[in-house]
């Protein structure tokens, strides 16, 4: 009658493969003023998955260069920082740093890091102790420190350059 065709089918059960390891996730916070853009893969031109709002906590499973693989609250890739160094995602280490206000006039607390456009939300008086995660952003040459209530300058701005200190770390 004819030829016989023989087919061997394997489900791979006889091959040994390592069991999947429990994935270690690290927590990051979206700190970019405009939030964070999450894309489908590591490429910056891949399709958009979501735009996460500032202060969103994300779980990161891997980091490649400036890019982080976010697995929660969405699955995709986001930038940790821009090419120019602007921080978008900051690792949550849980450490709190204490700073003393050392300027006799005290410190202005603003809602955002930008000195010129952010609303004033309060004041810290001379010798007050403020708490911070240590997050710092440079705006117009002045380092701005994120505290629980908002943002304060670490130094005065004097004639376009860095002036007298406003805060001093105490621990």
């Amino acid at each position: 009658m004819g030829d016989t065709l023989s087919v061997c089918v394997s489900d791979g059960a006889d091959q040994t493969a390592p069991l999947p390891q429990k994935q270690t996730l690290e927590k990051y916070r979206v700190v970019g003023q405009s939030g964070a853009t999450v894309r489908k893969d590591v490429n910056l031109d891949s399709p958009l998955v979501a735009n996460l709002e500032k202060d969103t906590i994300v779980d990161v499973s891997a980091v490649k260069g400036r890019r982080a693989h976010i697995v929660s609250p969405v699955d995709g890739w986001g930038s940790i920082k821009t090419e120019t160094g602007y921080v978008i995602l900051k690792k949550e280490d849980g450490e709190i740093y204490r700073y003393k206000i050392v300027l006799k006039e005290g410190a202005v607390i603003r809602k955002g890091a930008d000195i010129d456009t952010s609303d004033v939300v309060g004041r810290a008086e001379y010798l007050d102790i403020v708490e911070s995660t240590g997050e710092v952003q440079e705006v117009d040459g002045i380092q701005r420190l994120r505290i629980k209530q908002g943002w304060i300058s670490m130094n005065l701005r004097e004639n376009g350059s860095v002036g007298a200190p406003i805060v001093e770390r105490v621990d």
Side-chain angles (χ1 to χ4, degrees), residues 63-81:
V63 173
K64 285 187 180 180
R66 295 184 298 111
R67 306 282 285 154
H69 182 216
I70 298 169
V71 295
S72 175
V74 296
D75 187 15
W77 288 82
S79 293
I80 294 172
K81 61 183 175 181

Side-chain angles (χ1 to χ4, degrees), residues 13-68:
D14 58 339
Q15 298 175 356
T16 58
L19 293 172
Q21 299 295 314
K22 184 177 179 191
Q23 198 171 28
T24 302
L25 301 177
E26 294 184 316
K27 299 237 182 251
Y28 281 71
R29 178 183 298 274
V30 176
V31 295
Q33 290 297 315
S34 301
T37 300
V38 180
R39 298 198 172 272
K40 184 175 180 170
D41 60 46
V42 73
N43 297 316
L44 292 169
D45 59 353
S46 66
L48 177 70
V49 172
N51 287 310
L52 299 176
E53 290 186 18
K54 185 175 181 210
D55 288 322
T56 301
I57 301 295
V58 299
D59 290 323
V60 171
S61 66
V63 173
K64 285 187 180 180
R66 295 184 298 111
R67 306 282 285 154

Side-chain angles (χ1 to χ4, degrees), residues 79-141:
S79 293
I80 294 172
K81 61 183 175 181
T82 65
E83 285 181 323
T84 60
Y86 178 78
V87 177
I88 299 168
L89 296 174
K90 181 175 184 318
K91 189 173 179 181
E92 289 279 283
D93 57 10
E95 234 178 302
I96 299 295
Y97 302 98
R98 298 176 57 205
Y99 292 81
K100 179 174 24 176
I101 306 299
V102 295
L103 187 69
K104 293 218 186 263
E105 294 82 7
V108 174
I109 304 170
R110 295 185 181 277
K111 182 176 181 178
D114 191 293
I115 300 165
D116 297 319
T117 61
S118 294
D119 293 336
V120 173
V121 294
R123 288 193 64 77
E125 300 301 327
Y126 176 62
L127 299 181
D128 280 355
I129 302 295
V130 295
E131 293 183 340
S132 171
T133 61
E135 178 186 349
V136 174
Q137 287 188 17
E138 188 170 312
V139 178
D140 295 330

